Amino acid sequence: MPEIIVFLGPSLDREEGRAILDADFRPPAARGDIRKAADEGARIIGLIDGVFFQACSVAHREVLYALRKGVRVLGASSMGALRAAELDSLGMEGVGEIYQAYRDGTLVSDDEVALVFDPESGTPLSEPQVNIRWTIRKAEEEGVIDAAEGTALLEAAQALYFPERTYEAVCDGATAAIGEEKAGQFLAFARTGGVDRKREDAVLCLRRIREIAGQG
């Protein structure tokens, strides 16, 4: 009987996850998976990645079902951050900056954490908007771009449908506003110093579960 079950996909490589936490790692959760994990006897469930558009997503009622059974349910990064922001007042625990941004209303759209990924390898094939946001913020802090250029880049990202979001596409969309040279500078920065906020929050979540589980 697995005591700790974590639903993890493109936010963090599963081998990296296993290096942090001894758990039963499963693919991104679809509807019914949280209930099933609770019925299997899980003591702690970590919801990080979940399906959005290709199948029915995790339902609020199944998280509540697990909580009523006394299961600790934590969420972060992606689907987990969304559900935690919606259900933290009912006992689900949220972890990380993306969760906090949904909770305080800075982020409001599910589209912010959506991406497409290879179903076999879990490799991301597009860039989630949250990562682009945090990368733009870092580029501004480091003087690569100014605030107006950051706004233009963010607007270009928001204009793209999520499967089409890549840093190259964002820069192409912003070139008319910020110029080819500046777009190129940001693209170079994103390739070497981009922020993977989803990954960082997933790591925080696994460390929090490890703490709760007493794994040291």
Short mmCIF file of all heavy atoms in Angstrom, two decimals, residues 83-113:
data_model
loop_
_atom_site.label_atom_id
_atom_site.label_comp_id
_atom_site.label_asym_id
_atom_site.label_seq_id
_atom_site.Cartn_x
_atom_site.Cartn_y
_atom_site.Cartn_z
N ARG A 83 -5.74 23.89 -7.77
CA ARG A 83 -6.68 23.27 -6.84
C ARG A 83 -6.40 23.71 -5.41
O ARG A 83 -7.32 23.90 -4.61
CB ARG A 83 -6.61 21.75 -6.96
CG ARG A 83 -7.20 21.21 -8.26
CD ARG A 83 -8.71 21.44 -8.32
NE ARG A 83 -9.25 20.98 -9.59
CZ ARG A 83 -9.44 21.81 -10.64
NH1 ARG A 83 -9.16 23.10 -10.54
NH2 ARG A 83 -9.93 21.33 -11.77
N ALA A 84 -5.13 23.90 -5.07
CA ALA A 84 -4.81 24.32 -3.71
C ALA A 84 -5.33 25.73 -3.44
O ALA A 84 -5.82 26.02 -2.33
CB ALA A 84 -3.30 24.26 -3.50
N ALA A 85 -5.24 26.62 -4.42
CA ALA A 85 -5.74 27.98 -4.24
C ALA A 85 -7.25 27.98 -4.07
O ALA A 85 -7.80 28.85 -3.38
CB ALA A 85 -5.34 28.85 -5.43
N GLU A 86 -7.92 27.01 -4.68
CA GLU A 86 -9.37 26.93 -4.59
C GLU A 86 -9.84 26.22 -3.32
O GLU A 86 -10.96 26.45 -2.85
CB GLU A 86 -9.91 26.20 -5.82
CG GLU A 86 -9.69 26.95 -7.12
CD GLU A 86 -9.73 26.05 -8.35
OE1 GLU A 86 -9.64 24.81 -8.20
OE2 GLU A 86 -9.84 26.58 -9.45
N LEU A 87 -8.99 25.35 -2.77
CA LEU A 87 -9.44 24.47 -1.69
C LEU A 87 -8.61 24.59 -0.41
O LEU A 87 -8.79 23.78 0.50
CB LEU A 87 -9.42 23.00 -2.17
CG LEU A 87 -10.33 22.68 -3.36
CD1 LEU A 87 -10.06 21.27 -3.87
CD2 LEU A 87 -11.79 22.83 -2.95
N ASP A 88 -7.72 25.57 -0.34
CA ASP A 88 -6.88 25.65 0.86
C ASP A 88 -7.70 25.95 2.11
O ASP A 88 -7.36 25.52 3.21
CB ASP A 88 -5.74 26.65 0.68
CG ASP A 88 -6.20 28.04 0.29
OD1 ASP A 88 -7.41 28.27 0.14
OD2 ASP A 88 -5.32 28.92 0.12
N SER A 89 -8.79 26.67 1.96
CA SER A 89 -9.63 26.95 3.13
C SER A 89 -10.34 25.70 3.64
O SER A 89 -10.89 25.70 4.75
CB SER A 89 -10.67 28.03 2.79
OG SER A 89 -11.56 27.57 1.79
N LEU A 90 -10.33 24.64 2.83
CA LEU A 90 -11.00 23.39 3.21
C LEU A 90 -10.00 22.30 3.57
O LEU A 90 -10.40 21.15 3.78
CB LEU A 90 -11.91 22.92 2.06
CG LEU A 90 -13.03 23.90 1.70
CD1 LEU A 90 -13.77 23.45 0.45
CD2 LEU A 90 -14.00 24.05 2.86
N GLY A 91 -8.73 22.66 3.62
CA GLY A 91 -7.76 21.71 4.14
C GLY A 91 -6.64 21.32 3.20
O GLY A 91 -5.65 20.73 3.63
N MET A 92 -6.75 21.62 1.91
CA MET A 92 -5.64 21.32 1.00
C MET A 92 -4.51 22.32 1.25
O MET A 92 -4.76 23.50 1.50
CB MET A 92 -6.10 21.40 -0.45
CG MET A 92 -5.05 20.95 -1.46
SD MET A 92 -5.72 20.84 -3.15
CE MET A 92 -4.25 20.32 -4.04
N GLU A 93 -3.29 21.85 1.20
CA GLU A 93 -2.14 22.72 1.47
C GLU A 93 -1.45 23.11 0.17
O GLU A 93 -1.08 22.24 -0.62
CB GLU A 93 -1.13 22.01 2.38
CG GLU A 93 0.08 22.86 2.71
CD GLU A 93 1.05 22.20 3.68
OE1 GLU A 93 0.63 21.26 4.39
OE2 GLU A 93 2.22 22.60 3.72
N GLY A 94 -1.29 24.39 -0.04
CA GLY A 94 -0.59 24.88 -1.23
C GLY A 94 0.86 25.19 -0.91
O GLY A 94 1.19 25.59 0.20
N VAL A 95 1.70 25.03 -1.93
CA VAL A 95 3.14 25.26 -1.76
C VAL A 95 3.65 26.06 -2.97
O VAL A 95 3.28 25.75 -4.11
CB VAL A 95 3.92 23.93 -1.67
CG1 VAL A 95 5.42 24.20 -1.53
CG2 VAL A 95 3.42 23.08 -0.51
N GLY A 96 4.48 27.04 -2.72
CA GLY A 96 5.19 27.70 -3.82
C GLY A 96 4.58 29.02 -4.27
O GLY A 96 3.48 29.41 -3.87
N GLU A 97 5.32 29.70 -5.14
CA GLU A 97 4.94 31.04 -5.58
C GLU A 97 3.76 31.03 -6.55
O GLU A 97 2.97 31.97 -6.58
CB GLU A 97 6.15 31.73 -6.20
CG GLU A 97 7.26 32.00 -5.20
CD GLU A 97 8.33 32.92 -5.74
OE1 GLU A 97 8.04 33.74 -6.63
OE2 GLU A 97 9.48 32.82 -5.27
N ILE A 98 3.65 29.99 -7.37
CA ILE A 98 2.51 29.96 -8.30
C ILE A 98 1.21 29.79 -7.52
O ILE A 98 0.21 30.48 -7.79
CB ILE A 98 2.69 28.82 -9.33
CG1 ILE A 98 3.93 29.08 -10.18
CG2 ILE A 98 1.46 28.69 -10.23
CD1 ILE A 98 4.33 27.92 -11.08
N TYR A 99 1.22 28.91 -6.56
CA TYR A 99 0.04 28.77 -5.68
C TYR A 99 -0.30 30.10 -5.03
O TYR A 99 -1.47 30.52 -5.01
CB TYR A 99 0.30 27.69 -4.62
CG TYR A 99 -0.48 27.91 -3.36
CD1 TYR A 99 -1.86 27.71 -3.32
CD2 TYR A 99 0.16 28.34 -2.19
CE1 TYR A 99 -2.58 27.94 -2.15
CE2 TYR A 99 -0.54 28.57 -1.03
CZ TYR A 99 -1.91 28.37 -1.01
OH TYR A 99 -2.62 28.61 0.14
N GLN A 100 0.69 30.78 -4.49
CA GLN A 100 0.44 32.05 -3.81
C GLN A 100 -0.13 33.09 -4.77
O GLN A 100 -1.00 33.89 -4.41
CB GLN A 100 1.73 32.55 -3.17
CG GLN A 100 2.20 31.70 -2.00
CD GLN A 100 3.56 32.10 -1.48
OE1 GLN A 100 4.06 33.18 -1.78
NE2 GLN A 100 4.19 31.22 -0.72
N ALA A 101 0.36 33.09 -6.02
CA ALA A 101 -0.12 34.06 -7.00
C ALA A 101 -1.59 33.80 -7.36
O ALA A 101 -2.36 34.74 -7.57
CB ALA A 101 0.75 34.01 -8.25
N TYR A 102 -1.97 32.52 -7.45
CA TYR A 102 -3.40 32.21 -7.67
C TYR A 102 -4.22 32.58 -6.44
O TYR A 102 -5.33 33.11 -6.55
CB TYR A 102 -3.58 30.73 -7.99
CG TYR A 102 -3.37 30.39 -9.45
CD1 TYR A 102 -2.35 29.54 -9.85
CD2 TYR A 102 -4.22 30.91 -10.43
CE1 TYR A 102 -2.16 29.22 -11.17
CE2 TYR A 102 -4.03 30.60 -11.77
CZ TYR A 102 -3.01 29.75 -12.14
OH TYR A 102 -2.82 29.44 -13.46
N ARG A 103 -3.68 32.32 -5.29
CA ARG A 103 -4.43 32.59 -4.06
C ARG A 103 -4.70 34.08 -3.88
O ARG A 103 -5.81 34.47 -3.48
CB ARG A 103 -3.65 32.07 -2.85
CG ARG A 103 -4.40 32.21 -1.53
CD ARG A 103 -3.52 31.83 -0.37
NE ARG A 103 -2.33 32.68 -0.30
CZ ARG A 103 -1.35 32.54 0.58
NH1 ARG A 103 -1.39 31.55 1.46
NH2 ARG A 103 -0.31 33.36 0.58
N ASP A 104 -3.71 34.93 -4.20
CA ASP A 104 -3.92 36.37 -3.98
C ASP A 104 -4.51 37.07 -5.20
O ASP A 104 -4.69 38.29 -5.20
CB ASP A 104 -2.62 37.05 -3.53
CG ASP A 104 -1.53 37.05 -4.60
OD1 ASP A 104 -1.84 36.88 -5.79
OD2 ASP A 104 -0.35 37.22 -4.25
N GLY A 105 -4.82 36.31 -6.26
CA GLY A 105 -5.49 36.89 -7.41
C GLY A 105 -4.56 37.49 -8.45
O GLY A 105 -5.02 38.04 -9.45
N THR A 106 -3.24 37.38 -8.26
CA THR A 106 -2.31 37.87 -9.27
C THR A 106 -2.47 37.08 -10.56
O THR A 106 -2.37 37.62 -11.66
CB THR A 106 -0.86 37.76 -8.76
OG1 THR A 106 -0.75 38.46 -7.52
CG2 THR A 106 0.12 38.32 -9.76
N LEU A 107 -2.67 35.77 -10.43
CA LEU A 107 -2.98 34.91 -11.57
C LEU A 107 -4.43 34.48 -11.46
O LEU A 107 -4.91 34.16 -10.36
CB LEU A 107 -2.07 33.67 -11.57
CG LEU A 107 -0.56 33.90 -11.66
CD1 LEU A 107 0.17 32.55 -11.65
CD2 LEU A 107 -0.19 34.67 -12.91
N VAL A 108 -5.13 34.44 -12.59
CA VAL A 108 -6.54 34.06 -12.55
C VAL A 108 -6.89 32.98 -13.58
O VAL A 108 -7.91 32.31 -13.45
CB VAL A 108 -7.46 35.27 -12.76
CG1 VAL A 108 -7.31 36.26 -11.62
CG2 VAL A 108 -7.16 35.96 -14.10
N SER A 109 -6.06 32.81 -14.59
CA SER A 109 -6.42 31.90 -15.68
C SER A 109 -5.69 30.56 -15.58
O SER A 109 -4.48 30.52 -15.30
CB SER A 109 -6.09 32.56 -17.03
OG SER A 109 -6.26 31.64 -18.08
N ASP A 110 -6.41 29.46 -15.84
CA ASP A 110 -5.79 28.15 -15.91
C ASP A 110 -4.71 28.11 -16.99
O ASP A 110 -3.75 27.35 -16.89
CB ASP A 110 -6.83 27.07 -16.24
CG ASP A 110 -7.86 26.91 -15.15
OD1 ASP A 110 -7.85 27.70 -14.19
OD2 ASP A 110 -8.69 25.98 -15.26
N ASP A 111 -4.91 28.89 -18.00
CA ASP A 111 -4.01 28.95 -19.15
C ASP A 111 -2.57 29.30 -18.75
O ASP A 111 -1.61 28.96 -19.45
CB ASP A 111 -4.58 30.01 -20.11
CG ASP A 111 -3.66 30.31 -21.27
OD1 ASP A 111 -3.57 29.48 -22.18
OD2 ASP A 111 -3.04 31.39 -21.24
N GLU A 112 -2.41 29.95 -17.60
CA GLU A 112 -1.07 30.36 -17.16
C GLU A 112 -0.12 29.18 -16.95
O GLU A 112 1.09 29.30 -17.13
CB GLU A 112 -1.18 31.14 -15.84
CG GLU A 112 -1.78 32.52 -15.99
CD GLU A 112 -0.76 33.57 -16.40
OE1 GLU A 112 0.44 33.28 -16.32
OE2 GLU A 112 -1.19 34.67 -16.79
N VAL A 113 -0.65 28.05 -16.52
CA VAL A 113 0.23 26.91 -16.21
C VAL A 113 0.15 25.82 -17.28
O VAL A 113 0.82 24.79 -17.16
CB VAL A 113 -0.10 26.31 -14.83
CG1 VAL A 113 0.27 27.30 -13.72
CG2 VAL A 113 -1.57 25.91 -14.72
#
